[in-house]
Amino acid sequence: MYTQALDSLGKDCLPAGSTQGSALEARFQARVDADEKIEPKDWMPDAYRQTLIRQISQHAHSEIVGMLPEGNWITRAPTLRRKAVLIAKVQDEGGHGMYLYSAAETLGISRQQMIEQLLAGTAKYSSIFNYPTLTWADVGAVGWLVDGAAIMNQIPICRCSYGPYARAMVRICREESFHQRQGFEIMLALARGSAEQRQMAQDALNRWWWPSIMMFGPSDTQSKHTAQSMRWKIKRFTNDELRQKFIDITAPQAEFLGLKIPDPQLHRDEGSEHYRFGTIDWSEFQAVLQGNGPCNRERLEARRHAHAEGGWVREAAAAHAEKQRARAAQAA
Amino acid sequence: MTQDWPLFEVFIRSRSGLEHKHVGSVHASDARMAIEHARDVYTRRQEGVSLWVVRSSDIMASDPAEADALFEPARDKVYRHPTFYAIPDEVKNL
Ligand SMILES: [Fe+2]
Ligand SMILES: [Fe+2]
């Protein structure tokens, strides 16, 4: 938003550890503790800025890459209604990417830098989008589980200490709930359908369940950034807390569908009212994150291809704007 | 890669009769395209009936460091608010 004004702030502003620096840092933390919002031109510790740039840009990339697995089914949606809904959902995800890139830009990184990082493969995005959508039921499972997990992650970020991120998140959360409901509706239609359709729904749940609960990130004992992020109020709940909440609300929904969550250890613990679940295979998560998931290469190739294909449009628009500007200058 | 297109701030009038409010920003090669992008990005659910776009570089903002100097003087002027004045209850229409 006001990116151009930020160049002079941040890293070079103050020598690290100077008394002035730590006084500013204490003031900053006091504002965060008092639930005040931090705005782009306010002083902030460089590590806060870098953490946010990393998190918001990864989040933006996830929305953009996230359009691919579902976009895969737009031309083959079973009815016109489903097709219109899917187009609207995928378009929303593109919009979410735009809100988030804008929010990240207020911290002093350019859109172009972020896109370059994504296309170069140096930026991370949510591991979930490196799984394929094999059948129509996957579109249902993605809406229900992946958007469901995303909502669980995103709602607390609406109260994030950084104003532009929090505001983008409010807008996103308002739009997400239809995503999850349309997914569940697809699953419901299949679950109430023929034996073959029920099997499709079950198969999709089998493949998406574990990747979905991995979306909350490594377990709290392994998570590197959690404590600091919570102090800065970028994060409000730990990964494990959110994962538990998600499983607690999703397990009864699966039951309603008459589908079985692929975890033999999953059961409701009467004492605590929570669902206990089996061990997560973190080696799979790490492999996907490191680029070895089923679709990592395909996803990046699709993004690179789209970007290259749009090159002439960007050039033409820039040339047109330049010509108009020159004409206006001449007429004046 | 070529340069980013200029950044525009987007303002939306949500209903006729209300003021335009800042909602976010878009990149565009010119103002016309900024309006079109703003429409796609910020009004997919009838969020507005009118759009403004302004080049971000044209916005002058007050300095947060001067916030006290600018806004503090208003704090002790409570007599600018109607509740500052004690009027007996019997007096009506005041
Ligand atoms: Fe989204
Ligand atoms: Fe979504």
Side-chain angles (χ1 to χ4, degrees), chain A residues 173-239:
Chain A
C173 286
R174 220 182 285 144
E175 299 182 353
E176 283 294 353
S177 123
F178 118 68
H179 298 180
Q180 194 188 16
R181 290 171 67 107
Q182 65 86 35
F184 190 82
E185 195 197 65
I186 291 171
M187 294 302 273
L188 193 58
L190 293 170
R192 288 176 174 170
S194 65
E196 207 181 343
Q197 286 174 314
R198 262 197 306 284
Q199 188 44 49
M200 257 173 79
Q202 181 62 56
D203 171 62
L205 173 58
N206 291 349
R207 283 180 290 105
W208 287 95
W209 174 253
W210 290 103
S212 296
I213 66 170
M214 288 184 210
M215 278 176 72
F216 296 95
S219 144
D220 294 349
T221 52
Q222 305 293 315
S223 177
K224 287 176 282 183
H225 308 298
T226 296
Q228 182 57 269
S229 282
M230 291 192 56
R231 210 166 310 129
W232 281 332
K233 295 196 182 166
I234 294 172
K235 220 178 157 126
R236 299 269 181 168
F237 298 98
T238 70
N239 297 351

Side-chain angles (χ1 to χ4, degrees), chain A residues 53 55 75 119 155 219 258 266 329:
Chain A
I53 288 179
Q55 180 171 334
T75 55
L119 299 183
I155 284 177
S219 144
L266 188 82

Side-chain angles (χ1 to χ4, degrees), chain A residues 1 92 102 105 112 175, chain B residues 2 4 9 25 27 44-45:
Chain A
M1 288 160 203
D92 271 358
S102 290
E105 284 178 85
Q112 190 182 323
E175 299 182 353
Chain B
T2 48
D4 270 334
E9 299 304 317
S25 54
H27 284 279
R44 290 192 301 282
R45 288 173 175 78

Side-chain angles (χ1 to χ4, degrees), chain A residues 1-4 41-42 88 91-96 98-99 102 105 110-113 115-116 119 171 174-175 178-179 307 313-315 317-318 320-321 324, chain B residues 1-5 7 9 11-12 22-27 29-30 33 39-45 47 55-65 68:
Chain A
M1 288 160 203
Y2 309 117
T3 36
Q4 73 287 344
K41 292 178 78 183
D42 296 344
Q91 194 191 13
D92 271 358
E93 306 301 4
H96 297 174
M98 298 300 117
Y99 308 153
S102 290
E105 284 178 85
S110 73
R111 180 83 56 114
Q112 190 182 323
Q113 275 173 289
I115 307 262
E116 272 169 7
L119 299 183
R171 194 171 286 279
R174 220 182 285 144
E175 299 182 353
F178 118 68
H179 298 180
H307 193 76
V313 181
R314 291 191 297 277
E315 275 163 38
H320 175 74
Q324 296 294 317
Chain B
M1 205 187 285
T2 48
Q3 274 290 310
D4 270 334
W5 285 331
L7 193 64
E9 299 304 317
F11 299 79
I12 296 182
H22 183 246
V23 293
S25 54
V26 293
H27 284 279
S29 61
D30 59 21
M33 187 196 272
R39 167 197 172 269
D40 288 344
V41 175
Y42 293 103
T43 67
R44 290 192 301 282
R45 288 173 175 78
E47 285 90 341
R55 268 185 192 253
S56 309
S57 55
D58 286 341
I59 291 183
M60 291 293 139
S62 64
D63 181 351
D68 276 355

